[in-house]
Amino acid sequence: MKFTICHDTNKKTLAVPRAALQLSGLEDAERLTLHVGHGCVALTRQEPTARERLETIRLLHNLNIGMLVCLALDSRAAETGPRKRVPRALRAYDAEFLDMLEHCGVDLYGLGALMIREGDAK
């Protein structure tokens, strides 16, 4: 399930909708762990059960597939101009990860062009 949270950037806190906690089975959890990456967060029980770990992996797997498909389509539709080197921002990722992206249909030059347009890379 997906929720849209409208964040008031003037406030210092952000509330997780109670319905999201109820649907995830976390409404009774006293301690939660917030996993943070650039542009994303994931909230889990601090000590998840085996089933919760399995469900988290399944959810992330499905999310990854959807994101990879969108990334591949967007990168292939991007106008890249001359194909020079892989952008500096992509060089931060190891070759194995970049190979996986290419194997999944992501055009690395198109992705670089998108990142430059978005201001994420030079």
Side-chain angles (χ1 to χ4, degrees), residues 13-42:
T13 61
L14 181 65
V16 176
R18 182 144 181 83
L21 292 174
Q22 290 171 329
L23 288 170
S24 67
L26 295 175
E27 75 276 8
D28 64 342
E30 291 183 17
R31 297 180 64 90
L32 299 170
T33 300
L34 189 64
H35 307 269
V36 180
H38 184 78
C40 64
V41 296

Side-chain angles (χ1 to χ4, degrees), residues 33-109:
T33 300
L34 189 64
H35 307 269
V36 180
H38 184 78
C40 64
V41 296
L43 186 65
T44 63
R45 191 178 307 272
Q46 190 169 21
E47 297 293 330
T49 64
R51 178 176 293 285
E52 288 171 336
R53 287 185 174 119
L54 187 62
E55 287 300 313
T56 300
I57 291 167
R58 186 176 61 88
L59 175 67
L60 291 173
H61 174 75
N62 291 339
L63 183 62
N64 285 340
I65 290 170
M67 287 196 172
L68 269 169
V69 168
C70 289
L71 197 58
L73 293 172
D74 292 347
S75 69
R76 292 188 169 282
E79 294 180 23
T80 61
R83 294 185 176 243
K84 298 178 186 173
R85 295 180 301 176
V86 174
R88 207 175 310 152
L90 289 180
R91 285 187 251 143
Y93 299 98
D94 62 52
E96 192 174 287
F97 182 73
L98 295 176
D99 287 345
M100 180 274 301
L101 290 178
E102 283 188 305
H103 182 76
C104 292
V106 174
D107 180 323
L108 295 182
Y109 297 99

